[in-house]
Amino acid sequence: MERKPLEVESTDHQKPSSAVYDGSATAVDSVEEEVQETKLVYRGWKVMPFIIGNETFEKLGIIGTLSNLLVYLTAVFNMKSITAATIINAFSGTINFGTFVAAFLCDTYFGRYKTLTVAVIACFLGSLVILLTAAVPQLHPAPCGIALTCTGPSGGQIAFLLMGLAFLVVGAGGIRPCNLAFGADQFNPKSESGKRGIDSFFNWYFFTFTFAQILSLTLVVYIQSNVSWAIGLTIPVVLMFLACVIFFAGDKLYVKIKASGSPLASIAQVITVAIKKRGLKAVKQPWVNLYNYYPLNYANSKLKYTDQFRFLDKAAILAPEDKLEADGKPTDPWKLCTMQQVEEVKCIVRVLPIWFASSIYYLTITQQMTYPVFQALQSDRRLGSGGFVIPAATYVVFLMTGMTVFIIIYDRVLVPTLRRITGIDTGITLLQRIGTGIFFAFLSLVVSGFVEERRRTFALTKPTLGMAPRKGEISSMSAMWLIPQLTLAGVAEAFGAIGQMEFYYKQFPENMRSFAGSIFYVGGGVSSYLGSFLIATVHRTTQNSAGGNWLAEDLNKGRLDLFYFMIAGILAVNFAYFLVMSRWYRYKGSDDEVTAYETNGDVIKQQDKNKV
C-alpha cells in the first residue's frame, strides 16, 4: 500500500515553527531534504514496462509453480491427499503470515526496493529447487503408476522440497505487501496526473494478477499434468528469471523510498502508557483535556475524539510528572502519548473484529482451492468427443474467471444502479460489500455439498469411467458440475476480497497502509491454518466411526459433502457475528459518529462531519 509523502525522503518542508516543530530534525536537515525533493524525478509510466513486466512474469512464475502443487505432491511425491492438502494449507498460511513480517522489515529497516530485491531472487531460487525435485530422479520417490501402495519420499527428499518451499515463503511473503506500493511510488502523489497514474496502475496490477492465474491454471498446468512435470516446472523458472532481469534493468530509474521506521512503536507506546496510567481518574471533556500534539508535516489525517475503548484514553492524560520539550513534544513517548495516537490505535482495534470475521470467510476460498481438484480427479473431465481431458487443477480457473467477470458487472452495472438507490458513491458501504461476500461464500459451500453428493451417488450407482490412480472409481458425473460452486466462490471474492482490501486501506491510519495490505494476507493465513486444523480433526474423528472417514483417500468411500456442509455451518455463524460487529463498527471520520459525554450534568454531543 502507498504511504504518505512524509514517509519518503522527498516531502515538502517548511521552516519549523515552535508551535508544531517536533524537534526531530534541525533547520539544516529540513533544507537538505528540500534539496532532495528538487532532485527527485517521478518517471511514472516511463518505468512501468519494468514494473508491470516484472509483475507479469513474476506472477506467472510463482503461480505456475504453486497452482498445481497439490497434484504434484500426490502424483510425484506419492503423498496421500490429506497430507498434501495439509501441507498446502500450512504453506499458504506461512506465506500469508510472512507478509506481516516483510511489511515490518520493509517499513522499519530496508525499504520496498531492497525488500523486493531479496524477494524476487528468493522466488527464483524456490522455483528452481522445486524444478530440481522433478527433474532429478534422486530428489523424488520412484513412480508407482497404478499401484495401490507406493514408496513415500525419504527424509532427504522432503528436506530438499521444504527448502524450495521456504525460498518461496520468503519470496512471496516479501512481494505481496511491497509490490503494489512500489509501483505506486513511481508516480507523484501530489499531481493530478500522478494520482490518475496510481489508479491506473492498480487496475493493471489486478489485471496481470488475474491474467497470470488464468494462464497458469490452463496452459502451464496442462503441460505439467499431460506432458512433463520437468518441462512444466521449467517454464515458471524461466519466467521468474525474466522477472528478475526486467526488475533490475530499471534499477537506475526507480524512485526508492527509504525505510521511515515502524508505526508499530506508536501502538506499543499507547498500550504501555495506558497500562501504566490505569489508576488515573478519567478526565472530563476528554476531547478538550486530553493531551494532543502534531509533529511537523504529520502524515495522518487528524482524528476527533471517540468514546469507544475509553481505557486507552489514559495514555493521553498529562500527569504532573510528565515533562514536555520546549515545542510541546513529550520528553518520553513511553510515559505520555497524544490523543491522536490514541485515536489511531482505536481505529486499528475497531478493525480487528471485522478482520476476524473476514479471516473465517477465507475458509471457503481455502477449501475451494484444494478439494475441488480431488473432486475433478474422480469426475468425468473429458471435453467433447475428441478425447481431450481437462487437467484437474485447471478447474480452479473458474473461480478466477467468475471473479474477473463479476468485477466488470459490479463496476459497470451494479454500482451505478445501487448509487441511484442508496445515494452512496460506491453503491453500498464497504462492510455491506464484505458481508455480501461472506454470504456468497456460504452459498458456494452449500452448492459444493450438493454437487459432491451427486458425484458420489453417480459413482456408487452408475457405471464408472475407470480408476483414478490411488484414488477410486471415476464418477460419470461431468466435472463441469463443479463450475457453479467455483463461480460462486469467485463472486464472493469480488465482493469480499476487494472489499476487505479497500476497507483496511481506508480505515487504517495513513502511515500503516503497508500493514493494512499485510493484514489482508494474514487473515488468509489464519484461515489456511484453521483449514488444516479442521481437516486433521475431521480425519482423526471420523476415520474409525461407523459412518466412515469423511475425508477418505477415495472420495467415493468418504463424505466430503458433509465436510462442506460443516464448514457452511461455520460460515453461517460467522455471518451472524459479522452482522453484529458491523452494526457496532464506526467508520473512521464518518458523519454517524455521535459521542455523548456528561459534564456537570449536561450532555454534550459531538458529531464528526468528515466523511471517508
Side-chain angles (χ1 to χ4, degrees):
M1 296 297 178
E2 185 194 3
R3 297 187 67 174
K4 286 290 184 177
L6 178 66
E7 296 162 344
V8 304
E9 60 187 30
S10 55
T11 53
D12 288 338
H13 290 274
Q14 301 173 348
K15 289 184 179 181
S17 66
S18 59
V20 297
Y21 182 47
D22 69 351
S24 61
T26 64
V28 175
D29 293 329
S30 183
V31 172
E32 288 177 349
E33 292 180 359
E34 201 170 59
V35 172
Q36 290 176 348
E37 167 80 10
T38 61
K39 294 181 178 179
L40 190 67
V41 179
Y42 291 97
R43 291 182 172 85
W45 287 108
K46 292 181 180 179
V47 296
M48 285 304 105
F50 302 104
I51 301 290
I52 295 178
N54 164 63
E55 174 70 19
T56 302
F57 287 117
E58 181 184 279
K59 285 290 181 288
L60 282 169
I62 294 176
I63 298 171
T65 299
L66 300 181
S67 58
N68 210 19
L69 191 58
L70 185 68
V71 177
Y72 180 71
L73 294 179
T74 56
V76 177
F77 270 73
N78 300 337
M79 292 184 182
K80 293 183 177 180
S81 298
I82 191 169
T83 304
T86 301
I87 290 176
I88 293 297
N89 285 334
F91 171 67
S92 299
T94 304
I95 286 181
N96 288 325
F97 275 107
T99 61
F100 190 82
V101 177
F104 172 78
L105 295 175
C106 173
D107 285 344
T108 308
Y109 300 108
F110 305 121
R112 282 188 268 271
Y113 178 75
K114 291 181 179 178
T115 303
L116 285 172
T117 296
V118 174
V120 295
I121 293 174
C123 273
F124 169 72
L125 294 176
S127 299
L128 180 61
V129 170
I130 299 297
L131 165 62
L132 292 177
T133 62
V136 180
Q138 290 78 11
L139 294 178
H140 61 257
C144 63
I146 61 173
L148 295 178
T149 58
C150 303
T151 303
S154 66
Q157 291 168 343
I158 287 291
F160 197 79
L161 173 68
L162 292 179
M163 181 177 68
L165 297 179
F167 275 124
L168 291 174
V169 166
V170 173
I175 288 171
R176 288 181 178 182
C178 298
N179 220 11
L180 184 62
F182 182 72
D185 290 342
Q186 310 311 308
F187 298 91
N188 186 348
K190 299 177 182 177
S191 68
E192 288 301 318
S193 61
K195 293 176 182 178
R196 288 194 300 268
I198 291 173
D199 292 338
S200 297
F201 173 72
F202 285 168
N203 294 332
W204 275 104
Y205 178 87
F206 287 107
F207 173 80
T208 57
F209 178 77
T210 306
F211 168 77
Q213 283 200 314
I214 292 175
L215 190 59
S216 296
L217 289 168
T218 51
L219 179 61
V220 177
V221 166
Y222 177 80
I223 294 174
Q224 291 172 349
S225 300
N226 296 278
V227 180
S228 166
W229 281 103
I231 296 175
L233 290 172
T234 298
I235 296 174
V237 174
V238 173
L239 294 173
M240 277 306 308
F241 178 76
L242 290 175
C244 292
V245 171
I246 294 173
F247 178 74
F248 293 119
D251 175 71
K252 302 297 183 182
L253 304 176
Y254 298 138
V255 172
K256 302 172 184 176
I257 294 180
K258 293 182 179 180
S260 57
S262 174
L264 292 180
S266 179
I267 300 174
Q269 288 166 359
V270 170
I271 296 173
T272 301
V273 178
I275 293 174
K276 287 180 179 179
K277 293 186 174 182
R278 63 188 181 277
L280 295 181
K281 184 179 179 181
V283 298
K284 296 181 179 180
Q285 292 186 316
W287 64 95
V288 174
N289 294 320
L290 290 179
Y291 167 76
N292 209 9
Y293 167 84
Y294 298 101
L296 177 67
N297 290 338
Y298 194 61
N300 295 350
S301 57
K302 296 179 181 179
L303 302 175
K304 292 185 179 181
Y305 178 79
T306 59
D307 67 340
Q308 290 179 320
F309 310 111
R310 298 180 68 177
F311 63 91
L312 294 173
D313 294 349
K314 295 186 177 181
I317 295 178
L318 185 61
E321 62 272 15
D322 293 326
K323 297 180 180 180
L324 304 177
E325 294 183 358
D327 61 349
K329 177 184 178 181
T331 302
D332 187 350
W334 293 95
K335 292 183 178 179
L336 176 65
C337 298
T338 67
M339 187 182 78
Q340 174 74 17
Q341 284 179 280
V342 172
E343 289 303 317
E344 289 173 0
V345 173
K346 288 181 180 181
C347 287
I348 298 168
V349 176
R350 273 193 290 265
V351 166
L352 293 180
I354 303 298
W355 170 81
F356 176 78
S358 300
S359 300
I360 302 300
Y361 146 82
Y362 257 103
L363 269 176
T364 301
I365 309 304
T366 300
Q367 303 310 316
Q368 297 291 14
M369 296 293 285
T370 52
Y371 273 103
V373 176
F374 294 137
Q375 289 177 277
L377 286 172
Q378 290 189 251
S379 300
D380 184 2
R381 292 179 283 126
R382 295 174 299 179
L383 186 64
S385 57
F388 179 80
V389 177
I390 301 175
T394 296
Y395 282 89
V396 183
V397 77
F398 291 107
L399 189 154
M400 300 308 305
T401 304
M403 176 183 178
T404 304
V405 172
F406 190 78
I407 286 175
I408 299 173
I409 297 173
Y410 179 81
D411 186 64
R412 299 298 180 183
V413 180
L414 288 182
V415 170
T417 303
L418 292 171
R419 185 186 295 130
R420 290 192 294 268
I421 297 173
T422 64
I424 301 173
D425 288 340
T426 54
I428 56 177
T429 67
L430 293 175
L431 289 176
Q432 287 172 341
R433 183 171 185 174
I434 296 171
T436 304
I438 296 175
F439 178 73
F440 272 99
F442 166 77
L443 290 181
S444 172
L445 289 168
V446 172
V447 171
S448 298
F450 285 119
V451 170
E452 170 56 20
E453 188 177 38
R454 175 185 175 87
R455 188 210 61 78
R456 181 172 177 268
T457 300
F458 271 46
L460 297 178
T461 62
K462 297 186 177 182
T464 58
L465 306 179
M467 289 284 294
R470 297 165 47 221
K471 297 290 183 182
E473 298 285 344
I474 299 175
S475 173
S476 60
M477 186 197 81
S478 172
M480 292 298 178
W481 279 92
L482 298 173
I483 293 178
Q485 69 190 60
L486 294 169
T487 302
L488 285 172
V491 173
E493 280 285 83
F495 277 109
I498 298 176
Q500 285 178 62
M501 293 190 74
E502 186 176 356
F503 176 76
Y504 300 142
Y505 184 82
K506 289 184 176 180
Q507 298 304 303
F508 267 62
E510 286 81 352
N511 69 333
M512 290 197 67
R513 283 175 172 169
S514 293
F515 283 93
S518 68
I519 197 174
F520 170 80
Y521 292 108
V522 171
V526 170
S527 70
S528 294
Y529 284 124
L530 180 58
S532 296
F533 171 77
L534 289 175
I535 289 173
T537 301
V538 169
H539 177 71
R540 183 175 58 253
T541 304
T542 62
Q543 63 180 344
N544 296 320
S545 65
N549 189 349
W550 286 12
L551 302 177
E553 196 73 13
D554 179 0
L555 295 184
N556 300 330
K557 297 179 180 179
R559 293 304 306 268
L560 181 60
D561 53 334
L562 298 182
F563 181 70
Y564 279 134
F565 289 140
M566 181 193 75
I567 300 179
I570 295 174
L571 259 289
V573 175
N574 183 60
F575 182 62
Y577 162 79
F578 175 82
L579 293 178
V580 173
M581 291 296 101
S582 297
R583 187 173 181 82
W584 164 84
Y585 187 82
R586 292 178 180 176
Y587 286 97
K588 185 179 74 173
S590 64
D591 59 2
D592 63 349
E593 277 191 3
V594 179
T595 311
Y597 312 96
E598 287 190 14
T599 307
N600 297 326
D602 297 326
V603 176
I604 299 175
K605 291 187 178 181
Q606 175 189 2
Q607 183 168 354
D608 183 356
K609 298 181 179 179
N610 297 323
K611 294 183 178 180
V612 175

